Amino acid sequence: MPKRIALFGGTFDPIHNGHIELALAFASLLSLDRVIVMPTFIPPHKLKNDMAPAVDRLAMCRLACAPYKELAVSDLEINRRGASFTILTLEELHRQYPDAQLFLLTGADMFLTLATWYRFADIARLATLCAAPRDDADAACLREYANDLEAQGARCVVTEFTVPAWSSTEVRRRLQNGETLDGEVPSAVAAYIATNRLYTQNRQYLNKEEQYIDIIRGRLTPRRFEHSLAVARQAQHLAEKYGADPEKARIAGLLHDILKDTDGDSQLQILKDFGILLDAVEQKAPKLWHARAGAVFLQHILGIADEEILRAVRYHTTARAGMSLLETVLYLADFTSDDREYSDVDVMRELTERDLEEAMRYAVAYTIDDLRAENRPVHPDTLACYHEILERTGDTNGKGQTPENGR
Ligand code: DGI
Ligand code: FE
Ligand code: FE
């Protein structure tokens, strides 16, 4: 039986990292056995049209709290469906855990209104009232207010540390403007929002592609953005020419470098969040991360389910043995797009127009030579790709053409 339990209520629309940080900070500060995250029911007449349905708010809380053993999520208030009076919930918790000491966690804003809450005296009798300031000014305000409450017999905890003022409103605003989230919410929550298209009703895209272009514009430097558009054009062209799906090729081209300008730590974090382990060569080669992490981002955060597109992005840097036509098209489009300028880009373009296999042989040999010249590790997938081409084309005595460096 847990002995020290905190109730953390709120609309959680959506739950964000500030909420999690606050809950974990109190769990450790107060040695809590459990923090119960309790999304409030919102009566239908109070639902604003940018709010997410209760089931989704609940699901996001569950995803966000899943990694932490001290955080639990309750659907008590949502299932009760009446107005979410905190005192009723506290009394219910008191019935369930008669021996436990109860705490009530609130955001700084809410804390400053506590005295006006329905049956405040009973709330104060049942639970210790806790808040964390957002900054120093806030801290002074909260302490003064806490003193007043204590004068009325309440027990209060206002923390010494501050918790940054992240907000659900800001998360919704970003999503409505087509901006991407960047660490404001746990990755699993971002994925859920994307998959279920929450908070984006106000933004009407003509099609997916328009949305993807907005997303990469926000994430990439202007130069990398132009590169992505150029690779999309070239991938579409090659797909039309060689019989791959031009639509998929365009999308893969647009999105292939989606994480190229994201810092390495964030890329590693995305991989970690979704349980992807890097192999030994990948760990030593940060340039390879954007392809793997990019594919994971597309799948889990943008909600792209198409395996062909995901694989094309995943292998666009290393290539691999057994590549599909779409993978080959993207790989070569990345080498031959309009914006590329390395010493023998013209040879590469000419080969790509003539014969995909020859072009792959040249491109992969080029990459391997380049890496060897710089003493960087060559990924086993790249070598496997190269050996497969040599076997297929019957050229087993050496690497065929060995291009110059300079890409
Ligand atoms: O993202 P782009 O610049 O458009 O192109 P890309 O995704 O093909 O990345 C090219 C970089 O990746 C380039 O610096 C070489 C590096 N790279 C490609 N294959 C390997 C590799 N690096 C290592 N260490 N091992 C590889 O097998
Ligand atoms: Fe790339
Ligand atoms: Fe690229």
Side-chain angles (χ1 to χ4, degrees), residues 106-115 129-131 142 145-146 149 156 158:
T106 68
D109 283 344
M110 296 304 272
F111 187 82
L112 295 174
T113 65
L114 268 172
L129 312 173
C130 309
L142 292 182
Y145 195 78
L149 297 182
C156 297
V158 174

Side-chain angles (χ1 to χ4, degrees), residues 72-93:
V73 178
S74 166
D75 56 7
L76 185 84
E77 291 192 7
I78 280 177
N79 286 338
R80 193 164 58 208
R81 299 189 78 79
S84 286
F85 289 118
T86 296
I87 183 60
L88 301 183
T89 304
L90 283 173
E91 284 174 342
E92 176 62 34
L93 289 177

